[in-house]
Amino acid sequence: MPNPYPKVRLFVESHLEKGASVVREDDAAHYITRVMRMKEGERVALFNGRHGEWAASVHDVRKHAVELRVEEQLRDYLAPADIWLCFAPIKFGRIDYLIQKATELGASVLQPVMTQFTQSERVNEQRLRANAIEAAEQCERVEVPELKAPLGLRDLLATWPKDRILLFADESGRGRALACVLPELKDKPLGVLIGPEGGFSPDERTLLYRIAHVVGVGLGPRILRADTAAIALLAAIQSSIGDWNIAPHFQREGTL
Ligand code: SAH
């Protein structure tokens, strides 16, 4: 019988190839040996964002470290859907949720954007990256979305690639219906932009509508929280023109 898919998946920075040794310390070692109570010989899945996914076995358990030996490749690298999520930082807790869910929904880039009504001045990049890594481990991505340093809205627009359509979620009612816009965007590089809880300012809206590759879209008659809007927009894109036509890779017990 083939080996079952390992229950524990970990993101590592190291090179992954057959026979490589990967040493994890501190939290990861604690998680493997204390939380999951794994013993020598048991298998974990590793990915590093470059070499797909690999099975490794617990080789040596030390006091504050665990050594894993890479055994066989489980999957090739699979590029994420080409969707950049630009979002105005929101408060602690909600922003963590946003990062986790955006990772599960397959955003390839996470770009914090400072707008006029953004209230959270500081972005804890380390915490956000930890959230993205944890969600990527849990949802079986073989890479972690790239978390960019925060940018002001004007800088974002000035440096935005012209061949990438930016769908901007406009709560003013002026945006086009998403169902009409999405079919035109199949197989194109995309970005989405979500405003802060205070919404976009009139000046920002004027600026955004002046740019040819920015398209304002509406998300229905209800005003959504910023985190809901981001998640809903990503899900709508993935469902109609994104990667939801691809099945999960591994067959699971209880599923046929
Ligand atoms: N305070 C604002 C709401 C901001 S909601 C107001 O009362 O009008 C936060 C962000 O979510 C918005 O800037 C927008 O990007 C997005 N959003 C929420 N509801 C939306 C909708 N119905 N259509 C389009 N975007 C929406």
Side-chain angles (χ1 to χ4, degrees), residues 178-226:
L178 196 57
C180 300
V181 175
L182 288 183
E184 299 163 9
L185 303 177
K186 196 160 169 33
D187 298 326
K188 298 216 166 108
L190 276 189
V192 303
L193 171 64
I194 308 294
E197 292 300 358
F200 290 102
S201 74
D203 284 355
E204 287 172 335
R205 216 169 263 119
T206 305
L207 172 71
L208 284 158
Y209 276 110
R210 259 198 226 130
I211 303 172
H213 49 271
V214 174
V215 178
V217 290
L219 302 177
R222 292 161 297 275
I223 295 298
L224 310 175
R225 302 289 296 247

Side-chain angles (χ1 to χ4, degrees), residues 2 7 12 21 23 36 46 65 103 109 120-122 131 155 182 194 208 218 224 233-236:
K7 286 200 180 65
V12 294
S21 153
V23 176
M36 298 306 289
L46 302 179
T103 303
V109 166
S120 310
E121 296 286 308
R122 267 193 60 252
N131 272 305
D155 290 335
L182 288 183
I194 308 294
L208 284 158
L224 310 175
L233 184 48
L234 287 174

Side-chain angles (χ1 to χ4, degrees), residues 14-197:
S14 8
H15 193 84
L16 292 175
E17 62 180 351
K18 195 173 165 57
S21 153
V22 175
V23 176
R24 299 304 315 264
E25 293 170 343
D26 307 323
D27 289 357
H30 177 85
Y31 177 71
I32 294 168
T33 59
R34 306 269 170 212
V35 180
M36 298 306 289
R37 297 179 176 279
M38 295 186 77
K39 305 270 178 297
E40 281 173 25
E42 288 190 73
R43 300 201 328 159
V44 299
L46 302 179
F47 64 105
N48 62 4
R50 307 187 298 278
H51 304 126
E53 179 173 46
W54 291 75
S57 62
V58 176
H59 184 70
D60 189 17
V61 177
R62 301 172 211 146
K63 193 147 189 238
H64 296 291
V66 58
E67 184 188 343
L68 307 164
R69 277 287 159 84
V70 180
E71 291 178 344
E72 56 167 335
Q73 189 167 30
L74 299 173
R75 273 197 291 167
D76 285 333
Y77 177 77
L78 174 69
D82 191 2
I83 309 173
W84 296 2
L85 169 64
C86 308
F87 60 98
I90 45 178
K91 70 175 188 214
F92 182 87
R94 286 192 172 269
I95 194 168
D96 301 275
Y97 177 80
L98 171 66
I99 297 292
Q100 290 159 17
K101 302 304 142 193
T103 303
E104 287 173 53
L105 287 166
S108 53
V109 166
L110 304 171
Q111 171 69 70
V113 182
M114 299 303 180
T115 64
Q116 223 170 319
F117 298 153
T118 299
Q119 280 175 352
S120 310
E121 296 286 308
R122 267 193 60 252
V123 176
N124 183 337
E125 288 176 52
Q126 213 181 340
R127 202 186 72 232
L128 296 193
R129 181 160 159 80
N131 272 305
I133 291 176
E134 200 183 317
E137 290 173 341
Q138 179 269 324
C139 76
E140 299 186 14
R141 278 177 81 145
V142 292
E143 35 60 57
V144 176
E146 186 187 350
L147 177 67
K148 303 258 198 188
L151 271 180
L153 180 62
R154 276 169 202 280
D155 290 335
L156 176 85
L157 296 175
T159 54
W160 190 263
K162 293 195 174 37
D163 61 348
R164 182 176 291 274
I165 296 291
L166 178 60
L167 291 178
F168 121 73
D170 182 4
E171 74 278 13
S172 76
R174 192 172 151 192
R176 291 176 62 197
L178 196 57
C180 300
V181 175
L182 288 183
E184 299 163 9
L185 303 177
K186 196 160 169 33
D187 298 326
K188 298 216 166 108
L190 276 189
V192 303
L193 171 64
I194 308 294
E197 292 300 358

